[in-house]
């Protein structure tokens, strides 16, 4: 069976092309720079732990102490317990891209999960296929669910949906 869920049944924007990642907009890059400059309290062009944590939170990330400490260890190349702008930018870009990708996938999942049960049933899959004008027969729809239903409950949950989108 060569039919998969990335055909007309799913919005194409939910799955990035192989080898291509979305670039940040100029506005997003400006927000990163602004957060860095705003929270670099001592204006030394580096962020200490507290400045770093607050700057990430200002960008909308709910980071916890352990995560901030790990990032500090991973990116503190000079052993000063500080993060330079280039490293801050790299961290923020990665976090933004991860967040956006997951948000888009969640939006796609919710198109199917109209009753917010956390599952995509055969009935829901049939409805979306019909709404999109995709003439998929019942057998193909069942095969789609069977292929990605890892827990054997006859429905696709969000984790299975993620696995399905990452297959190919």
């Amino acid at each position: 069976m060569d039919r998969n869920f990335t055909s007309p049944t799913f919005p194409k924007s939910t799955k990035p092309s192989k080898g291509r990642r979305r670039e940040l907009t100029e506005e997003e890059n400006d927000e990163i720079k602004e957060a860095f400059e705003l929270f670099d309290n001592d204006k030394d062009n580096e962020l200490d732990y507290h400045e770093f944590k607050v700057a990430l939170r200002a960008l909308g990330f709910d980071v916890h102490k352990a995560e901030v400490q790990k990032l500090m260890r991973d990116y503190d190349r000079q052993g000063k317990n500080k993060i330079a702008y280039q490293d801050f930018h790299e961290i923020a870009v990665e976090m933004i891209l991860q967040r956006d990708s997951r948000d888009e996938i969640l939006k796609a999942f919710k198109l199917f999960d109209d009753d917010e049960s956390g599952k995509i049933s055969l009935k829901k899959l049939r409805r979306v296929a019909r709404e999109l004008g995709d003439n998929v027969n019942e057998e193909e729809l069942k095969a789609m669910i069977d292929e990605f239903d890892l827990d054997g409950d006859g429905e696709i949950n969000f984790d299975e949906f993620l696995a399905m989108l990452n297959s190919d």
Side-chain angles (χ1 to χ4, degrees):
M1 168 180 183
D2 61 352
R3 182 163 184 89
N4 64 42
F5 280 109
T6 58
S7 67
T9 310
F10 281 88
K12 300 241 184 262
S13 65
T14 62
K15 188 169 183 179
S17 301
K18 295 243 186 250
R20 253 188 57 212
R21 290 182 60 163
R22 177 178 86 80
E23 297 285 322
L24 291 190
T25 64
E26 187 176 331
E27 182 179 291
E28 289 169 319
N29 279 306
D30 289 347
E31 286 176 19
I32 292 170
K33 185 171 176 44
E34 188 177 318
F36 184 89
E37 291 172 349
L38 183 64
F39 295 104
D40 179 15
N41 295 328
D42 53 8
K43 304 302 179 205
D44 64 353
N45 293 315
E46 296 177 313
L47 300 178
D48 65 22
Y49 168 84
H50 295 289
E51 293 168 335
F52 180 48
K53 184 175 181 179
V54 174
L56 288 175
R57 288 201 170 170
L59 290 172
F61 300 107
D62 184 26
V63 290
H64 300 283
K65 182 178 183 176
E67 184 179 4
V68 174
Q69 289 172 332
K70 180 179 181 346
L71 288 168
M72 292 285 295
R73 280 191 307 273
D74 292 348
Y75 285 88
D76 177 20
R77 297 176 186 171
Q78 297 168 358
K80 300 190 317 186
N81 286 329
K82 294 197 173 204
I83 299 291
Y85 175 73
Q86 185 172 343
D87 295 326
F88 178 75
H89 186 268
E90 185 179 324
I91 292 165
V93 166
E94 188 62 35
M95 292 174 84
I96 289 168
L97 291 175
Q98 286 177 8
R99 173 184 64 199
D100 289 351
S101 174
R102 188 166 179 89
D103 287 348
E104 290 301 311
I105 292 169
L106 185 57
K107 285 178 193 173
F109 183 80
K110 288 180 178 183
L111 290 174
F112 291 89
D113 186 23
D114 58 346
D115 64 357
E116 299 181 6
S117 68
K119 303 274 186 159
I120 299 172
S121 64
L122 180 60
K123 180 180 174 184
K124 293 176 187 179
L125 188 58
R126 187 182 313 117
R127 173 189 54 81
V128 172
R130 189 174 46 249
E131 287 173 2
L132 293 173
D134 197 356
N135 294 322
V136 183
N137 68 41
E138 192 79 6
E139 193 175 293
E140 287 179 302
L141 293 173
K142 285 179 185 175
M144 288 178 189
I145 290 198
D146 290 344
E147 183 176 351
F148 295 103
D149 178 20
L150 303 176
D151 62 9
D153 67 353
E155 298 178 313
I156 304 294
N157 64 36
F158 185 69
D159 290 334
E160 293 165 337
F161 187 78
L162 281 174
M164 175 183 61
L165 290 178
N166 290 324
S167 72
D168 270 353

